[in-house]
Amino acid sequence: MTTPIRGLIFDMDGTLVDNMRFHDDSWEKWHADLGLPFDRAGFFGRTAGRSGPEIIGEMFPDKSREELVALEDAKEVIYRALYRPHLAPMAGLLPLLDQADAHGLPMAVGTAAPPGNVDFTLDGLGLRHRFRAIVSPSQGFRGKPHPDMFLAAAERMGVPPEECLVFEDAPLGVEAARRAGMRAVVLLTTAPAETFAHFDHVIALAPDFASLDLTFG
């Protein structure tokens, strides 16, 4: 825990943006459109941090990769339509990015979101240039809780994993950081604090970035 922080890795949904309720709404409509039952209360805990094809593949194990991607695309069209009027950076995010830049800290994004949502969010907010690397399952990495994306982000930043700090909102993402040997800060945008009580690598919990007091150096 005393190792200096030399690089920052951000999850996207629920972390860079406070949008998870819109994902829940879009998943609920997607299920309804297909005539499928939807357990809204339990769905987040089982799936947040995993890629769409991974999630949908468990529902339709006989479908091809192309069919799974098409089903994911249909869900994401719903999501983007719902969230577009509300697209905004998480409270306090921009000052924290400025603070990291002032200290010369490289930053990366490790997200399970598909490319269309990454473009929608990062380009829609003008944030893409802030990050040295953007890593997602579309590049061939396994989704969280596997550590693959965070380890790739660290490698692309040129920072050892133990010197990276991960910002996450989901238990599977926090577990991915643990497996990667990284410390984590949890934003309580989508799950209560007690959800993360068993993680000993979490150094802070906060409702958003504005309430964090981090010193880099």
Side-chain angles (χ1 to χ4, degrees):
M1 290 296 186
T2 60
T3 305
I5 295 168
R6 302 299 187 199
L8 308 182
I9 302 174
F10 296 83
D11 172 50
M12 190 177 78
D13 292 329
T15 302
L16 295 181
V17 288
D18 189 5
N19 63 341
M20 290 307 295
R21 65 189 181 278
F22 297 97
H23 274 298
D24 286 346
D25 290 346
S26 62
W27 275 118
E28 186 167 19
K29 185 178 187 308
W30 181 88
H31 278 74
D33 289 346
L34 293 175
L36 299 172
F38 182 64
D39 173 21
R40 188 179 180 112
F43 191 77
F44 166 81
R46 296 193 308 271
T47 64
R50 302 175 65 199
S51 70
E54 287 175 330
I55 297 167
I56 299 169
E58 292 185 351
M59 304 178 196
F60 301 101
D62 296 330
K63 290 193 179 295
S64 68
R65 171 74 182 182
E66 291 73 19
E67 290 172 314
L68 295 176
V69 170
L71 286 167
E72 178 194 29
D73 287 345
K75 180 266 172 186
E76 302 307 346
V77 167
I78 298 170
Y79 157 71
R80 290 192 292 269
L82 290 174
Y83 186 51
R84 183 170 284 107
H86 308 278
L87 178 63
M90 184 72 71
L93 172 66
L94 299 183
L96 185 138
L97 298 182
D98 289 342
Q99 182 185 9
D101 281 340
H103 285 83
L105 297 183
M107 294 180 283
V109 174
T111 175
N117 286 5
V118 173
D119 296 346
F120 168 76
T121 301
L122 298 186
D123 295 334
L125 295 175
L127 292 178
R128 186 181 293 271
H129 71 284
R130 307 296 296 261
F131 302 106
R132 186 170 298 182
I134 299 168
V135 184
S136 70
S138 66
Q139 300 165 18
F141 299 103
R142 296 178 296 177
K144 304 162 189 175
H146 300 292
D148 307 25
M149 289 191 289
F150 290 156
L151 291 172
E155 182 179 7
R156 293 179 186 183
M157 291 191 299
V159 178
E162 65 273 15
E163 296 182 2
C164 291
L165 179 64
V166 171
F167 294 89
E168 262 286 354
D169 70 304
L172 292 182
V174 175
E175 172 62 15
R178 185 192 68 80
R179 296 184 188 184
M182 301 175 180
R183 287 161 286 180
V185 170
V186 174
L187 299 189
L188 300 173
T189 54
T190 49
E194 55 266 27
T195 307
F196 306 95
H198 63 289
F199 290 113
D200 61 5
H201 65 297
V202 171
I203 64 171
L205 300 97
D208 53 40
F209 293 103
S211 59
L212 288 172
D213 182 15
L214 296 176
T215 301
F216 304 115

